[in-house]
Amino acid sequence: MSGTLTGPLAVLLVAAGAAIGAPLRYLTDRLVQARHDTVFPWGTFTVNLAGSALLGFLTALPADQVVMTGAGLGFCGALTTYSTFSYETLRLIEDGARFTAVASVAAGVAGGLGAGAFGFALAGAVTG
């Protein structure tokens, strides 16, 4: 990712961002999923869209290596979760919920791209 730091400071910033993003992902996922009585992975969908929107927003801002490293790589990287997305998709297929699996993949990919574009456009509108 351009605009990010390297070296020991980068490791500390990524770790700090991830230390906030990972628990927030877990808590948000559990909170959202508990409100839906469905096999669709709403919690993962929510955190992935939120993280995509935030990362899109951050990338549209004037480059700040500290922010992009800590918030972009660390926080957004830990908030979003491709591994859980993949795991939940495979579980849906194994459980015979193939339509839901396909819908989850389509919505997750399209939604993530759309959320990223929205965040990018929003930052452009805010910063002029």
Side-chain angles (χ1 to χ4, degrees):
M1 178 178 284
S2 64
T4 58
L5 296 175
T6 58
L9 177 58
V11 173
L12 291 174
L13 289 169
V14 169
I20 299 167
L24 184 60
R25 175 185 58 81
Y26 176 77
L27 293 171
T28 303
D29 176 66
R30 296 295 88 209
L31 179 70
V32 170
Q33 199 62 41
R35 295 179 182 270
H36 296 279
D37 188 23
T38 177
V39 296
F40 188 89
W42 287 108
T44 300
F45 181 75
T46 300
V47 295
N48 284 346
L49 264 59
S52 295
L54 178 58
L55 189 56
F57 186 88
L58 292 172
T59 46
L61 297 178
D64 182 312
Q65 292 184 338
V66 171
V67 171
M68 282 308 294
T69 303
L73 290 175
F75 179 78
C76 290
L79 179 65
T80 59
T81 173
Y82 189 73
S83 58
T84 302
F85 173 73
S86 300
Y87 170 77
E88 289 172 343
T89 301
L90 291 174
R91 288 299 306 250
L92 288 168
I93 292 168
E94 287 175 350
D95 293 344
R98 287 183 173 83
F99 177 80
T100 304
V102 171
S104 174
V105 169
V109 172
L113 290 171
F118 172 77
F120 192 87
L122 180 61
V126 169
T127 62

